[in-house]
């Protein structure tokens, strides 16, 4: 059994999955340190909403992000090789035709969240699988910031709340699962990204 088996089984069965053992705490700590370094160096920008015309709406989407570019030192981290292999495993099992992946660091300041949304822009379906790796050591239920998943086709019905615990990996089907990030009470760090069927241009 490869390390993706359980994740893939759950993803297939229920459209989402969480694992606390797939990603090692060493990777979480190293990636957090790198994210904090980039943050201290002013390398984050406000997350935006919309395609084509993009706008800052901090009440809708409150994170600041740093895209991980192809060939950057960040991208050399084994987490991204792991993701390439996970993507290949999904292609082998389900013929999903996932041709690329994209990831960014995200930091939500205290009080920020992300209102309910779906991870596909209107009229496009290239993003197939959403991935979030949480980087927060010592996160407590009182710190909030849960990822909240809602029922496919019934976005008013809450399905699952997931605390952003360090080294926790959450995956879900991008086009089906409405979700939100509830406001957090201390800075909330993650790497979020998508497995895609197209090969997009580099992020500007
Ligand atoms: C996103 C998103 C969820 C999370 O970045 O689109 O929904 O838990 N993130 O950070
Ligand atoms: Mn999302």
């Amino acid at each position: 059994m490869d390390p993706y088996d359980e994740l893939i089984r759950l993803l297939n069965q229920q459209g989402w999955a969480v694992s606390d053992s797939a990603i090692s705490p060493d990777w979480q700590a190293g990636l957090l340190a790198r994210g904090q370094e980039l943050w201290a160096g002013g390398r984050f920008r406000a997350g935006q909403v919309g395609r084509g015309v993009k706008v800052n709406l901090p009440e809708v989407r409150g994170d600041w992000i740093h895209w991980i570019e192809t060939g950057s030192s960040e991208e050399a981290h084994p987490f991204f090789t792991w993701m390439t292999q996970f993507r290949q495993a999904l292609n082998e099992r389900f013929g999903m035709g996932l041709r690329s992946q994209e990831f960014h660091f995200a930091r939500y300041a205290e009080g920020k969240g992300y209102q309910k949304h779906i991870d596909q822009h209107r009229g496009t379906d290239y993003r197939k699988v959403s991935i979030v790796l949480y980087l927060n050591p010592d996160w407590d239920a009182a710190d909030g910031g849960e990822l909240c998943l809602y029922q496919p086709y019934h976005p008013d019905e809450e399905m699952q709340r997931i605390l952003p615990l360090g080294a926790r990996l959450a995956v879900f089907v991008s086009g089906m699962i409405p979700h939100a990030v509830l406001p957090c009470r201390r800075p909330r760090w993650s790497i979020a990204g998508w497995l895609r069927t197209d090969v997009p241009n580099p992020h500007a």
Side-chain angles (χ1 to χ4, degrees):
M1 195 170 104
D2 64 52
Y4 320 110
D5 268 4
E6 183 64 2
L7 272 177
I8 290 178
R9 190 182 68 75
L10 289 168
L11 188 60
N12 184 39
Q13 199 174 69
Q14 57 187 21
W16 61 275
V18 173
S19 173
D20 289 326
S21 57
I23 303 301
S24 84
D26 282 358
W27 289 7
Q28 172 258 312
L31 289 165
L32 174 63
R34 186 63 193 135
Q36 289 176 332
E37 218 170 87
L38 289 162
W39 172 259
R43 305 280 307 281
F44 279 54
R45 297 286 172 270
Q48 293 184 311
V49 183
R51 187 172 60 100
V53 182
K54 295 187 176 180
V55 288
N56 292 355
L57 287 173
E59 299 316 313
V60 175
R61 175 177 183 183
D63 61 345
W64 282 55
I65 63 169
H66 173 91
W67 282 104
I68 295 164
E69 301 299 340
T70 307
S72 63
S73 62
E74 290 77 45
E75 205 222 16
H77 192 280
F79 172 70
F80 301 101
T81 318
W82 194 100
M83 278 299 157
T84 302
Q85 287 163 358
F86 179 57
R87 182 158 58 84
Q88 284 161 358
L90 285 168
N91 284 340
E92 279 160 26
R93 296 234 199 139
F94 305 122
M96 288 182 75
L98 302 168
R99 295 167 62 211
S100 70
Q101 58 199 41
E102 59 182 353
F103 289 94
H104 60 59
F105 284 101
R107 180 186 184 276
Y108 291 79
E110 186 184 338
K112 300 296 185 192
Y114 195 155
Q115 287 180 15
K116 197 184 296 180
H117 64 280
I118 286 197
D119 283 346
Q120 285 182 350
H121 298 300
R122 209 180 302 278
T124 70
D125 64 353
Y126 301 120
R127 289 176 169 178
K128 295 297 187 196
V129 180
S130 302
I131 314 264
V132 194
L133 173 66
Y134 298 107
L135 302 178
N136 309 294
D138 310 317
W139 196 264
D140 192 83
D143 297 324
E146 295 97 334
L147 168 62
C148 190
L149 306 180
Y150 301 87
Q151 294 282 356
Y153 315 115
H154 300 280
D156 294 331
E157 288 175 40
E158 199 175 308
M159 182 162 68
Q160 186 74 24
R161 285 192 186 197
I162 299 163
L163 269 176
L165 303 182
R168 173 169 280 179
L169 186 72
V171 302
F172 54 94
V173 178
S174 303
M176 271 182 53
I177 307 234
H179 57 281
V181 177
L182 304 183
C184 54
R185 296 189 192 92
R186 46 182 272 227
R188 176 192 191 270
W189 292 88
S190 64
I191 288 180
W194 295 274
L195 310 183
R196 304 178 59 123
T197 51
D198 65 339
V199 181
N201 293 325
H203 298 279

